[in-house]
Every structure is written in structure tokens, then in C-alpha cells.
Amino acid sequence: MDIDQLRSVIAQGESETVEFKTSTTQLKPAFETLCAFLNGKGGVVCIGINDQGKMIGQEVSDHTRQEIARELGKLEPTPQVDILYTSIKERKFVIFMRVDAGVHIPYIYNGRPFQRNQSSTMRMSQHRYNQLLMMARQSPYAWEEIIAPEYSQSDLEAEEIYKTVSDSIKENRIPASAQKEDVQSILERFNLIKDRGLKRAAIVLYARQASLKLVQCRIKLARFRGTNKLGEFIDNQQIQGNAFNLLTEADTFLRRHLPITSFFSGDQFKRIDKFALPIMAIREALVNAICHRDYADRSTDISLAIFDDRLEIWNSGLLPPKLTVDDLRRAHDSVLRNTLIANVFYVRGYIEKWGIGTNKMIDFCKMEGIPEPIFEERSGGLVVIFRFKTPISQPSRVTNAMNSRQEKIVEFLKEVKTATKQEILKYLTSQTSTTKPQTFSASSKTILRDLQYLQTIGLVYLKGQHRSAVWVLQDRNENTL
């Protein structure tokens, strides 16, 4: 914008669509007004102009730009804001911020909605906000469809994207030719990109942890002593990551803390160890939580809590009007809140068929002879409750027989604290020689089976994922299950 265009805007004076601010010391009210413009007809905020319409300008440093970027991040849903810096004299600029009327009303700034009344900005009433929210829910345009302009393809985990393709081909849900496609073509295939702009669904599914700014992409994991949240924490974690990171971390947490039941089959001498709850049913509930979460709600996280008598998984977002809690216990139509996210889980085989996830949870529990899961709407979201067949009172470590190689792995992890599978394999090979009668070397697949067994009995756990994943010895001082 040149100086003549700026003068033309200023000449209009403050109005329903124009606001002047003296300096960035008024940045907060400036963004409140931008929020009001988004909820109205659009408008312009000019910083560096006094109430009389005189251009006084202000200095613009890197710190100034960072401040503006920070405040911009507090606008939800993320809007398109045109920001221009017009020089009016040496080292002095007028900052020009313009928005069109918002497409995804209602907008909030710093957690609050604002509206414009003539030339004044004010807090939007709760009644008006609820009206706009109801209208938005009736709109077919979803949160996951919105472009996230602050992200680029370099912010995504390419390895996880390619894994989506390989899994989908194995499930026969996309053609084998997709294996030759590049990242952009894959994202286009799954409708996760538009005009080279990444949709929010792509961020939820594939964002690198270092790049992830969406607070919605978090899960809380807790093991409580007792049967309510007033009991002390045995373990308490909050993990941020993309959808597949969250599943991996939740799986690791479950294998560390779920109790293991042991029994002998009538025709076998070997003891059989099983988790007290069916892992597949819990995984189904976690996938449902990720796919059906209300991502517009920035104030809550998906939560997984283990108590002495039960496990609970909660996600924000009530059931759609077409469904009731009772419907979840029988065949029902699938009403998806996040179609793009759910579709990726479907093609990868995490979801077998639309609308049967809750029925599968029930079937898994019946097969294991444990109480059927309970579904409840609570605190603005849906909770799934799995009850243990026998309540547990004290955490204990299951002791299982280990072969000599597995004992050697535990011994190594005691010494080094963490190690990759390759490092463990190298160590075991080094322990085998002509001077040592015991043979510890084995194939990579055998070592992986050893580690998975040690994980099952609660002695080790996997931290991280893919190439950066390391095996860690479970601290015996921790009261884990």
C-alpha cells in the first residue's frame, strides 16, 4: 500500500470497518477489533495513527513483528490477515492490518469473541455467540478443512505419510501405483491440501513434533492410585504430537501400566500372560477419540486414565443430534465429525468399517469375558469406560521366566539406560565368543521378539518412534503395573 492509498483510508475516519491505534502498545485492543471485523463485515486496523487521523507512525523492529505474529496466533479459527508496513518517514511506519468478513464465524481472540457496534469494539454476548456457533455447526464446512497457512510440507513427517501409503496398499484400499507418488501427490490423494495450502487435518495427522503448534494435538495419560482422581498419581504425562505419535505413546503407556493376568491352559504346561483388558478394544476407543474429537475446542485434551477398578478414555465433543448413547450399543449409522482424519485411519486399516467401532469394543470385551464398556456423555464430551474383571489394589510387577539372552538385554539396559535395537544387537554379538560358552547372538527379528516379550511383562518400554525409538528399562522404583 502506498502513501496515497493510506491517506485515502485515513480520510474515511474511524467507522464500523476502520479503526486507528496510536502504537503497538495497543496491540491487544487492535486484535480484539480484528476479531470483531471477522465476525462482521471485515475491516482495517491502522497502527501509527492517532485519534485525530494524523499519521505519526512508529518504529518497526523484529520484536514488533514477533509481537504481531504472537497475537495473530490467538485468533481462532486461523483467518487470512493482510499485514502491510507503509513507510511514512525515516524509520517510521504505519502498520496496516486488513481482514475480510470471516468465512468460519464465530471467531475468537485470546479465547473471547468480539463484535463491532458502529465505531466501537465490544465483547460479544453469550447469547449471540451461541447463535453463531449453532449456525456454524449446521454448516458443512469443518474445522479440519481450514487451511493452516503457518505450516508447510517441511513441517510434516514424510516417513509417516509414506507409511500411510504402504499400509493402505496392504489393506487394498488404494492402488499399488500410489507407491510412486511424492508427498504432495499423496496429500492430494487424501484431500489434505488445497492450492498448495495444507489443511488442518494434515497437521493433526502428520505434523512433526518440533513444528506442532496446535494445542488440540495432545493427550493426557495418567495412572491413579485408587478409584478416583483424588488419589495420588503413580504416573502422569501430557504428550503433544500428531495422531500417530499419540497412538504410539498411548500404547507404550498402556503396556507399562495395564495389569497382567496369568493362567494355565488345560492342555499346556506353559503359563499364559494376558493384559487385564483387551488392547484392541482400547485401541479402537483411542482411534475413535482422535477421529471424533471436537478440534475447535482448544481448552481440553484427549485423556486416558487408569484407576484401580477401570480405564477411562475421554474426548471433547458430544454425540451429534442423530445419535444417542444407547445407539452406540447397536448397529448405527456413522456420523463423522472429522471426515478427512477418519478417512486416513480407514485406509490404513485402523478402522475396518464406518459405524462399528463401539460394537467392536463390546465384542472384544465379551470375547475376553470382561464387563462390556460403558459409554457416557460427560463434561461436553464422550467417555468410554472399561472395567477390570477384578479390581486391583496395589501396583505390582509381574515376574516371568526369561531366557539367558533376555536376561542379558536387561543387564545391558541397566548399564546404559537407553539403547536402540541395533545397539542391543551389537552388544549381544560382542558378548558371544569362543571364550564364552553361552551364545547370545541372534537375528534382528529374534531380538525384537525378545524386546516385545520384555515389554509385555513390564520390564522395558519403547520410547519414541521410527528410527529415533529407544528401549528403556522400566525403573523398579516406579509403581508400574
Side-chain angles (χ1 to χ4, degrees):
M1 171 175 288
D2 60 31
I3 194 73
D4 290 333
Q5 291 172 315
L6 183 58
R7 286 197 179 102
S8 176
V9 171
I10 295 171
Q12 298 174 33
E14 290 189 305
S15 66
E16 191 176 4
T17 58
V18 178
E19 177 90 347
F20 300 150
K21 296 296 178 188
T22 306
S23 71
T24 49
T25 59
Q26 298 176 295
L27 207 52
K28 183 177 177 180
F31 272 87
E32 290 175 353
T33 297
L34 276 180
C35 178
F37 288 158
L38 286 163
N39 288 323
K41 301 177 181 179
V44 175
V45 175
C46 296
I47 300 176
I49 299 174
N50 64 19
D51 292 339
Q52 289 73 45
K54 181 180 179 181
M55 290 188 287
I56 56 177
Q58 79 156 64
E59 294 185 5
V60 174
S61 62
D62 286 341
H63 178 70
T64 308
R65 295 174 189 270
Q66 289 169 10
E67 276 188 312
I68 291 172
R70 260 196 310 273
E71 297 308 308
L72 187 60
K74 296 177 183 179
L75 285 169
E76 278 283 332
T78 304
Q80 178 64 47
V81 181
D82 296 323
I83 303 177
L84 300 172
Y85 299 86
T86 301
S87 176
I88 58 170
K89 54 186 174 181
E90 186 179 359
R91 299 177 62 187
K92 294 287 186 177
F93 295 82
V94 169
I95 304 171
F96 177 93
M97 300 191 293
R98 185 183 69 83
V99 295
D100 294 325
V103 178
H104 311 297
I105 293 171
Y107 288 82
I108 58 174
Y109 165 69
N110 204 22
R112 296 173 178 174
F114 294 88
Q115 65 184 34
R116 194 74 169 166
N117 184 5
Q118 301 299 318
S119 60
S120 299
T121 296
M122 61 185 62
R123 285 277 299 276
M124 185 181 290
S125 70
Q126 187 67 46
H127 177 69
R128 178 57 179 160
Y129 179 73
N130 288 338
Q131 281 184 323
L132 294 175
L133 204 57
M134 186 63 67
M135 292 168 60
R137 284 173 177 165
Q138 293 170 353
S139 168
Y141 208 75
W143 180 94
E144 63 172 356
E145 291 272 3
I146 297 170
I147 300 299
E150 66 272 36
Y151 293 91
S152 66
Q153 287 184 34
S154 63
D155 293 314
L156 305 183
E157 284 189 2
E159 188 174 355
E160 196 67 62
I161 295 172
Y162 287 124
K163 195 170 188 303
T164 295
V165 172
S166 60
D167 287 351
S168 302
I169 292 171
K170 287 176 187 175
E171 295 291 330
N172 293 315
R173 287 174 180 168
I174 64 172
S177 58
Q179 205 158 17
K180 299 178 182 179
E181 294 178 354
D182 60 15
V183 167
Q184 179 160 327
S185 299
I186 296 167
L187 294 172
E188 289 173 349
R189 172 181 288 279
F190 296 121
N191 195 22
L192 298 174
I193 192 168
K194 182 178 180 182
D195 299 329
R196 293 187 173 272
L198 293 174
K199 295 183 179 180
R200 285 176 173 170
I203 311 307
V204 171
L205 290 162
Y206 300 122
R208 297 179 186 277
Q209 195 167 30
S211 304
L212 192 54
K213 306 178 189 71
L214 290 176
V215 295
Q216 295 94 324
C217 297
R218 286 193 308 217
I219 187 169
K220 287 180 180 175
L221 305 166
R223 167 65 173 105
F224 293 93
R225 190 188 300 278
T227 58
N228 58 54
K229 293 181 179 179
L230 298 177
E232 65 181 58
F233 285 112
I234 293 171
D235 196 355
N236 182 26
Q237 300 179 34
Q238 181 173 279
I239 307 294
Q240 182 158 10
N242 66 47
F244 300 104
N245 296 154
L246 298 185
L247 280 179
T248 299
E249 294 291 343
D251 182 70
T252 300
F253 185 86
L254 285 170
R255 293 179 186 277
R256 290 174 62 190
H257 290 289
L258 269 185
I260 294 175
T261 58
S262 300
F263 61 93
F264 290 90
S265 177
D267 58 349
Q268 295 181 20
F269 288 103
K270 188 176 180 181
R271 186 179 67 190
I272 299 173
D273 295 318
K274 293 178 68 174
F275 288 109
L277 294 174
I279 292 290
M280 292 302 292
I282 300 172
R283 189 180 87 155
E284 194 76 33
L286 282 167
V287 170
N288 269 18
I290 291 171
C291 290
H292 292 284
R293 187 203 196 290
D294 180 3
Y295 285 95
D297 182 358
R298 303 173 74 250
S299 63
T300 59
D301 305 320
I302 294 171
S303 65
L304 184 156
I306 301 175
F307 303 88
D308 285 355
D309 61 343
R310 69 195 186 281
L311 180 151
E312 294 185 355
I313 295 172
W314 181 91
N315 68 275
S316 64
L318 299 172
L319 291 171
K322 294 181 181 179
L323 287 179
T324 66
V325 169
D326 290 336
D327 290 332
L328 301 181
R329 310 195 67 80
R330 52 181 175 256
H332 59 273
D333 292 332
S334 176
V335 184
L336 295 174
R337 180 176 276 116
N338 304 294
T339 306
L340 299 179
I341 294 170
N343 181 60
V344 170
F345 277 92
Y346 169 73
V347 296
R348 286 188 70 159
Y350 285 84
I351 300 172
E352 291 300 324
K353 191 177 178 182
W354 305 123
I356 65 169
T358 51
N359 302 117
K360 285 180 68 177
M361 294 178 217
I362 293 170
D363 290 343
F364 282 129
C365 291
K366 284 182 177 178
M367 288 167 56
E368 298 294 332
I370 65 171
E372 294 181 15
I374 299 167
F375 306 102
E376 293 179 356
E377 287 188 309
R378 182 194 301 170
S379 304
L382 182 72
V383 62
V384 184
I385 305 168
F386 297 94
R387 293 200 172 273
F388 296 126
K389 194 172 184 179
T390 304
I392 50 175
S393 56
Q394 291 294 329
S396 62
R397 182 179 296 282
V398 178
T399 56
N400 294 60
M402 294 182 286
N403 63 35
S404 57
R405 190 176 52 251
Q406 292 160 355
E407 289 175 346
K408 206 70 179 175
I409 292 172
V410 172
E411 181 183 308
F412 177 57
L413 287 176
K414 280 182 183 177
E415 180 182 344
V416 300
K417 307 303 182 189
T418 67
T420 64
K421 185 182 72 172
Q422 290 73 21
E423 288 169 340
I424 294 169
L425 182 59
K426 184 178 179 181
Y427 168 75
L428 292 173
T429 302
S430 72
Q431 297 298 297
T432 303
S433 70
T434 55
T435 62
K436 298 175 183 176
Q438 180 64 58
T439 299
F440 298 111
S441 63
S443 68
S444 179
K445 286 185 179 180
T446 299
I447 299 303
L448 180 58
R449 283 196 294 271
D450 285 336
L451 287 164
Q452 289 172 337
Y453 173 77
L454 293 172
Q455 182 181 41
T456 299
I457 66 174
L459 286 176
V460 304
Y461 63 96
L462 188 63
K463 185 176 182 180
Q465 62 175 352
H466 304 314
R467 292 172 185 159
S468 62
V470 293
W471 289 92
V472 184
L473 186 68
Q474 177 64 60
D475 187 350
R476 288 182 178 274
N477 292 321
E478 290 185 32
N479 289 318
T480 54
L481 295 168

